[in-house]
Amino acid sequence: MPAYVISEVEIREEGAAASYRELAATSIGKYGGRYLARAAEAQVAEGREASGKIVIVEFPSMERAREWYVSPEYAEALAFREAALRRRLMFVDGV
């Protein structure tokens, strides 16, 4: 069953964010993930406004999504995260 990693992202520093994006994209592909939305504007129909851009990544399973998140490849991207962006990150099982 597919799983989704959903992020609501605010950029703090564009140079660090560019490094983060490049490393994250490479690591996502290695774990079978693919972007469904990347830095998309949310059009909120109900509830509070989104505070940033939306990123949605599909993985083949929750296990693969979690393997990616703790992987050494993604750790390289995480080294830039604090300077690069502020985010809310969610893991969601597909149906």
Side-chain angles (χ1 to χ4, degrees), residues 36-82:
L36 299 180
R38 192 171 184 185
E41 291 286 338
Q43 297 180 13
V44 178
E46 294 185 22
R48 68 175 175 79
E49 292 295 317
S51 61
K53 306 281 187 182
I54 304 298
V55 178
I56 303 172
V57 178
E58 180 183 57
F59 284 91
S61 66
M62 184 62 77
E63 180 180 358
R64 286 302 276 173
R66 292 191 182 280
E67 286 173 358
W68 160 76
Y69 187 69
V70 298
S71 72
E73 297 86 2
Y74 186 55
E76 292 180 42
L78 287 176
F80 291 93
R81 188 193 67 218
E82 189 66 30

Side-chain angles (χ1 to χ4, degrees), residues 4-56:
Y4 302 92
V5 177
I6 303 169
S7 302
E8 187 175 4
V9 178
E10 293 178 55
I11 301 299
R12 290 184 173 183
E13 199 280 305
E14 188 53 50
S19 296
Y20 171 84
R21 280 191 298 269
E22 182 179 331
L23 292 166
T26 300
S27 68
I28 285 167
K30 182 171 181 174
Y31 286 82
R34 68 183 183 108
Y35 286 97
L36 299 180
R38 192 171 184 185
E41 291 286 338
Q43 297 180 13
V44 178
E46 294 185 22
R48 68 175 175 79
E49 292 295 317
S51 61
K53 306 281 187 182
I54 304 298
V55 178
I56 303 172

